[in-house]
Amino acid sequence: MIYKSPFRISRTTRALALTLAAVLPATLIPVGAVEKIGDGVAPTYDEAYYATLDYYGNLTEGSVVKSYALNGATALTDYGVYDKVVNLTDGTIPAAKDDTTTFDFSKETAPSHFYFEGKTTAPFAVLPWTIALSYTLNGVPTKAEDLAGKTGVININLDIIPNKNASDYAKNNYTLEAMAVFNQDDILSLKAKGAQVQLVGNLRTVLFLALPGEEQHFTIEVGSDNFSFGGMTFMMLPATLAQLDQIAKLSDRKDELENDYEKLNKSLDTTLDALNSMTGGLYSSAKGLDALNKARGTISAGKGAIYDGIDTSKLDMESIAALLDPVSEQIQAASETLTKSKDLLQTMSDTAVSLKTELTQTKNALNNLEKSSGDLRDLTVEMKRLSGNLERLRNALTDMDSIPSVSSPLAGYGDISDLCQARDTVVSLESAYQAATSGDSPAFSGTFAEFVSAQVSDPETCQKLLAVYAKRQQMGSDSFDFLLDNSGSVDAVLDALNGTTQEVNSTLNGIAGPTADVVSRLAYICNEMGALYNLLNNVEDLAHIGQSATDKASTLLDKVGALQTLLSTYEPKAQESLKTLENLSVTAAGSIRNAETLISNTEALARTSGEQLDEGTKQTLEGLASSLRQTAAALSTTKDIKSAKSNLDSIITDTWHEHTGDVDNLLNMDSTAPAQSLTSGQNPAPQSIQVLIRSQEIKVPDKEEEESASAAADKGSFGSRVGQMFHDLWSSITRIFH
């Protein structure tokens, strides 16, 4: 199958798209914005790109030479990036800005033809091919610089690789011609596989051709005893010969017919697949007809039993019809019962509505009772709490002791004056102990008790001092000193306090007994309130039960109302269904009796025509099975047809793909397409365009040639030097005819 690229469109479609692209914007331009119509005269030009390569295909120098026919114009504008622009015609100085070069001429001195050279290497990067050269001497890779004057077999290897950076126009339309010229008298042998080799006089001309988009690898094998090589000459140019229009027509026809071919190809595949799949189906159908014929024989043999079964069925149908006859009256009775049930339920619903008011009142009364019991419950709880407090008060009054008298904290330490003297001694010993245990080298390292024992020799005095020290530490030094210093005043206060305490004790002993008796009686009364609390629990339970009962009764009454509403809604539909069922039973009984009549008539007809129908069916099935087998045998050859079709499609598809990008772009060529400038897409299409490339010569230069080459390098532009190069080449070819 030919693959159709989703990005490829026919030339007719492209032309239509370009026309619309040009026309539609024009329709949007206001009338007042229409530009002034010019005279239609514009310069035309031809473009040539000249390049020289080193031995291996690397660019050494490149220039574009453009030849303009001004056609009466006094100015021209060219687009492109140039390293330098050289006027080859007159002294007009170009004006260059960014990628635009402009020449303005005076009307009187404007030339009819104008030439300029733009030095640039940019076009070389977008040429449709890249060129690479390599060399071998007697099969050994050798530098080109070392081959001049050598003896042996030299292979010149030429690799022509399509350039992915080239424009689609260049990829699809440019052809490449590579030429090399050898003097027959200077070589021993020459081979160039795939090339056209011509002898012109004493010159051997080797010519290679590469089609658009084609990758080629050429080898020129030269045998020489003094090798020299004039270099390769390459020409790249769009194919515009009139004969190539046939390729464009073929491509157009391909675009136009490709869809139809694909549809035909798919349809043929579908048809062949269907025919092939029908083979098995036909054989199966034939076998099915055989089985059907056997079934016919079985039916024919068993038709007597069928007739008997039909008679039995007629009797059964009559019995069913008889059973359906009373169904109508039964359905009418059911309808009347449904109507009475609806009326009874309506009465119940009305009664339920009247009961809902009384239930509401009952529920409110129970709610009030429950709230009152709650207040009484709170009272009994407080009474119980009061009973407990009164009991604790009675126990406290019964167990109450007399308030003890208060004594001084310093009692038991002897006379106050002796205690003051002991306190002063302890203070002195504390200061001495602090001094003895401080510093980097303390004089004493034991405890304070050990220090006092060491300072006081009398054990009794030592124990007394340590007791005063311990009491002073317990009470705090400030509190101890205050009590000691004010011991007289403190003792007086304590005596007055103890007197008051004795009076209070006497009063409490007088009231404790009667108070305890009163408290005991109040506690008894509170305990009696517990019985009321239990009674309130029973009242609350009763209220809860009553509320629950009223809620359920209310819900039940609501459901009775809902049931009555539901029955009122669906009762008409139920009556309608019963009526339909009644009509259905009457109709079914009639239909069964009609079917019984039809079966009787059919049985009579079958008994009359059965033998003729059986024989005719037998002959038809046997003949149809035979025809299906013959047709299936004929269709079994579709596999061979499909295989041949697939091979043919593969050949067409492979060939087409080879010449539409896989190998070359021959069928993508369009000799009528306008040429595209190599310097900028902003330039109009040139009248002609060509690329001329020459590689470096390999030879041993003599002194005169070196001087001539040096002189040539000192004069003329690159374009003139390239022109002289090709002039010399042509002269060498034509010289043999003079």
Side-chain angles (χ1 to χ4, degrees), residues 76-78 85 92-98 100-104:
L76 64 87
T77 300
D78 181 83
V85 177
T92 303
I93 298 175
K97 182 179 180 181
D98 297 331
T100 304
T101 302
T102 304
F103 292 91
D104 290 315

Side-chain angles (χ1 to χ4, degrees), residues 611-625:
E611 294 182 0
Q612 298 174 354
L613 181 61
D614 182 61
E615 184 63 25
T617 302
K618 177 181 178 182
Q619 294 178 0
T620 301
L621 292 176
E622 290 176 349
L624 184 57

